[in-house]
């Protein structure tokens, strides 16, 4: 798996961490410009449906059944209730036996129109009218009205088959959602310099990567930001300790320093125990922030050694990030706070400078009582930069739930400043993606036996090792090459760790258990990867060229199990929409597991025999469509598929 980290550093200046004007023109003018841009975007956004209702052009919504039905029902609603403008169709997939999809507008419309001299006598009559006013479409086989006006839609089997075959010919990207947002920032992973990445970073890294992948699939330009902790008072003690241990500090390498976590602990112990060292460390912070060359070079050396360690994890996980750490935004802080002060938002409180937030019993401190900056200062500057300089329309922060209040206050401060609209229903907007803890089997934070946090690189290596051992036990050591065993062990091991996390609602805690996540039965990555490999095996066993079948064969959904599988495949685009809208990767995991179960039911039915049957070509195409959608699900989850077991 490939991975890379791009380092984006602030422009150089003689005193780069004290000068603001060198990095930006008048920030006050930029903020007002941003507000004008915001108002224009909001005017556009007010005419745009949410990410879940997607695009307006016919060719843009071809992938989503829900979007295509919404267009048809929009026409019907305008005819049915011409005096009720801007009624958005409420379309949902059915869970019952009456149809595939349902339009649920009748009850809401009845509450609006009753008493206005309407011809209708209740929701069922409204539903009947909506059904009768639907334009003719090849996608609909039949419609019926149930209960209080629910319009049930049964899709045409021939249209379903044609849609799936079209995807096979033109590619899965034709099923990509089209959200009304062009550029997004996803801020995730964000470890601290001079500290090892541990299991606590796992969730942010893989949840953030999956959200970025889903948005990228949806044609959104995604800025993957690694907001590393590379600035602050701790660097004084680290630099002084580096000078002490390595007088020629530029010769200090990762090998020479050894365990970075141990280096950090040793410097902290020295800081706490030695007053003279502590004083030198405090002076080092001043010199670093003043831009003194020797201290800047030492700081850069420590950061680079940390990045080397981070890269080992990102390479294993196949995660790409662009680093813009705390130091990058530091030069922007004074100007941002000045602009907020000029707007009357920043006030004095107990010696500190704060922004009061409605509904919060504590203010957002942007300048500490000693005149120093803090996380809130940096996050306000980062948010300003992302909106104003990077022109992002959606900024997504992936951190643990414990930071929810902090980001809520930052977002509310940005709304007070006019950077963000007060409503979160349109873009521009900022979202916090919180997640729970990784627990050990004792129900406490996942740690090693000596109570240390688990190094992420060790955890991933253990997953690969166990996966490899399972392959050897199954006799693959004699059948496969060493490269095949290594690549499969990586795909299964790393995929198991990722899926075990992603399949849970991110807000909940989950228990880390290797035996469960590497089980080849149940809702695990191992089961799903093996299911995909089996489908590939079925196609290989047929001896047919599947690419040729795509061009010359015809897909038919004659049997109920074939139709059920086809319907689930067609719902893939709207599942991605839902997962993006709610920032919930587990929605995609649920879909993937259900897809494998529905396929298993189809394939195990004797009436749906694939290889050697009269319907072999059609059913091979259905197998291939299932494999294509599974592979895209794996891709969005950051999991590498396997093709044989």
């Amino acid at each position: 798996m490939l991975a890379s980290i791009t380092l984006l550093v602030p422009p150089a200046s003689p005193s780069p961490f004290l000068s603001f004007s060198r990095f930006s023109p008048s920030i006050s003018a930029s903020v007002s410009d941003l507000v004008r841009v915001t108002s224009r975007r909001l005017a556009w956004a007010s005419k745009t449906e949410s990410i879940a209702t997607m695009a307006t052009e016919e060719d843009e919504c071809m992938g989503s059944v829900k979007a295509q039905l919404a267009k048809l029902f929009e026409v019907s609603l305008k005819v049915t209730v011409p005096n009720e403008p801007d009624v958005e169709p409420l379309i949902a997939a059915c869970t019952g036996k009456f149809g595939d999809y349902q339009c649920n507008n009748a009850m809401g419309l009845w509450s609006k129109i009753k008493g206005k001299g309407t011809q209708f006598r209740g929701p069922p009559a409204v539903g009947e009218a909506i059904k009768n006013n639907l334009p003719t479409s090849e996608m609909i086989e039949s419609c019926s009205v149930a209960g209080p006006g629910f319009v049930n839609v049964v899709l045409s089997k021939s249209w379903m088959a044609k849609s799936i075959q079209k995807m096979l010919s033109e590619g899965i990207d034709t099923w990509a959602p089209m959200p009304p947002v062009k550029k997004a920032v996803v801020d995730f992973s964000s470890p601290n310099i001079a500290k090892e990445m541990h299991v606590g970073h796992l969730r942010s890294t893989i949840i953030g990567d999956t959200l970025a992948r889903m948005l990228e699939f949806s044609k959104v330009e995604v800025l993957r930001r690694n907001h590393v902790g590379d600035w602050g008072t701790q660097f004084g003690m680290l630099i002084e300790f580096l000078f002490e241990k390595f007088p020629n500090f530029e010769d200090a390498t990762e090998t020479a320093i050894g365990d970075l976590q141990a280096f950090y602990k040793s410097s902290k112990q020295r800081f706490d125990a030695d007053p003279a060292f502590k004083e030198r460390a405090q002076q080092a912070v001043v010199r670093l922030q003043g831009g003194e060359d020797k201290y800047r070079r030492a700081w850069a050396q420590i950061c680079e050694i940390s990045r080397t360690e981070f890269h080992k994890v990102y390479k294993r996980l196949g995660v790409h990030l662009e680093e813009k750490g705390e130091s990058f935004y530091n030069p922007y802080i004074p100007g941002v706070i000045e602009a907020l002060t000029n707007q009357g938002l920043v006030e004095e409180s107990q010696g500190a400078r704060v922004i009061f937030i409605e509904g919060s019993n504590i203010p957002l401190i942007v300048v500490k009582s000693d005149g120093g900056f803090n996380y809130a200062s940096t996050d306000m500057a980062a948010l300003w930069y992302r909106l104003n300089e990077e022109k992002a329309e959606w900024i997504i922060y992936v951190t643990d739930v414990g930071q929810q209040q902090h980001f809520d206050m930052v977002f509310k401060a940005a709304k007070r400043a006019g950077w963000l609209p007060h409503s979160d229903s349109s873009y521009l907007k900022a979202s916090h993606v919180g997640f729970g803890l990784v627990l050990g089997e004792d129900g406490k934070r996942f740690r090693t036996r000596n109570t240390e946090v688990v190094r992420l690189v060790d955890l991933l290596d253990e997953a690969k090792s166990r996966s490899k051992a399972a392959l050897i036990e199954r006799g693959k050591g004699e059948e496969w090459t060493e490269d095949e065993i290594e690549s499969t062990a990586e795909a299964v091991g790393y995929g198991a760790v990722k899926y075990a996390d992603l399949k849970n609602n991110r807000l909940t805690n989950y228990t880390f258990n290797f035996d469960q996540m590497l089980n080849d039965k149940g809702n695990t990555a191992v089961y799903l990867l093996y299911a995909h490999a089996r489908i590939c095996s079925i196609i290989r066993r047929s001896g047919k060229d599947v690419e040729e079948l795509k061009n010359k064969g015809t897909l038919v959904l004659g049997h109920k199990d074939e139709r059920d599988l086809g319907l689930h495949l067609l719902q893939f685009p709207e599942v991605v929409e839902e997962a993006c809208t709610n920032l919930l990767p587990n929605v995609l995991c649920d879909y993937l597991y259900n897809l494998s179960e529905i396929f298993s039911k189809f394939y195990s039915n004797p009436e749906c025999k694939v290889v050697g049957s009269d319907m072999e070509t059609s059913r091979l195409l259905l197998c291939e469509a299932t494999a294509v959608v599974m592979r895209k699900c794996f891709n969005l989850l950051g999991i590498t598929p396997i093709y044989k077991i």
Side-chain angles (χ1 to χ4, degrees), residues 31-32 34-35 38 42 336 339-340 343 345-346 355-358 364 366 376 379-388 395 397 405-424 428-431:
V31 170
S32 61
L34 178 63
V35 172
T38 301
L42 284 176
V336 168
L340 294 169
Q343 289 181 267
L345 270 64
V346 179
I355 299 175
F356 287 99
I357 306 296
E358 186 178 352
L364 183 71
V366 292
D379 285 331
M380 288 299 291
L383 181 55
W384 179 89
Y385 184 90
R386 289 161 176 177
L387 290 166
N388 193 56
I395 301 97
Y397 296 81
Q405 183 185 39
H406 166 75
F407 281 106
D408 190 46
M409 293 175 72
V410 168
F411 300 160
K412 286 179 178 176
K415 290 174 183 179
R416 280 195 65 193
W419 302 355
L420 295 171
H422 285 282
S423 170
D424 288 330
L428 313 169
K429 73 175 179 179
S431 304

Side-chain angles (χ1 to χ4, degrees), residues 184-201:
V185 167
V186 182
D187 178 328
F188 66 105
S189 193
S190 307
N192 288 317
I193 292 293
K195 291 186 178 180
E196 295 266 18
M197 287 184 74
H198 55 76
V199 71
H201 295 108

Side-chain angles (χ1 to χ4, degrees), residues 8 19 57 66 109 228 232 265 276 287 289 304 328 348 350 361 385 419-420 424 428 445 447 487 515 521 568 584 638:
L8 301 174
S19 166
E57 295 296 324
K66 190 183 289 187
L109 278 177
V228 297
K265 284 182 177 178
R287 290 178 171 184
Q289 293 181 341
E304 191 55 39
F328 181 90
E348 296 286 335
Q350 299 179 13
N361 56 6
Y385 184 90
W419 302 355
L420 295 171
D424 288 330
L428 313 169
R445 279 180 185 267
R447 295 181 182 275
S487 61
D515 291 336
K521 296 178 178 60
H568 196 72
L584 289 173

Side-chain angles (χ1 to χ4, degrees), residues 49 52-58 60-78 87-94 99-105 130-131 133-144 151-156 159-160 163 563 567 570-571 574 577:
E49 295 175 3
T53 51
M54 295 295 126
T56 55
E57 295 296 324
E58 185 69 31
E60 287 181 338
C61 69
M62 283 306 292
S64 172
V65 175
K66 190 183 289 187
Q68 292 178 76
L69 286 173
K71 287 177 70 69
L72 294 174
F73 277 98
E74 186 178 8
V75 173
S76 173
L77 289 165
K78 285 179 179 176
V87 178
E88 290 188 9
L90 303 176
I91 311 298
C94 284
D100 302 316
Y101 284 84
Q102 196 172 72
C103 175
N104 299 327
N105 284 88
I130 294 171
K131 183 196 78 169
N133 289 326
L134 268 175
T136 303
S137 170
E138 65 169 338
M139 72 184 296
I140 296 177
E141 182 175 296
S142 64
C143 285
S144 61
V151 182
N152 294 308
V153 175
V154 176
L155 297 176
S156 158
W159 177 86
M160 291 168 64
S163 298
R563 190 186 186 283
L567 178 62
L570 286 166
Q571 290 172 340
E574 57 214 51
E577 293 171 14

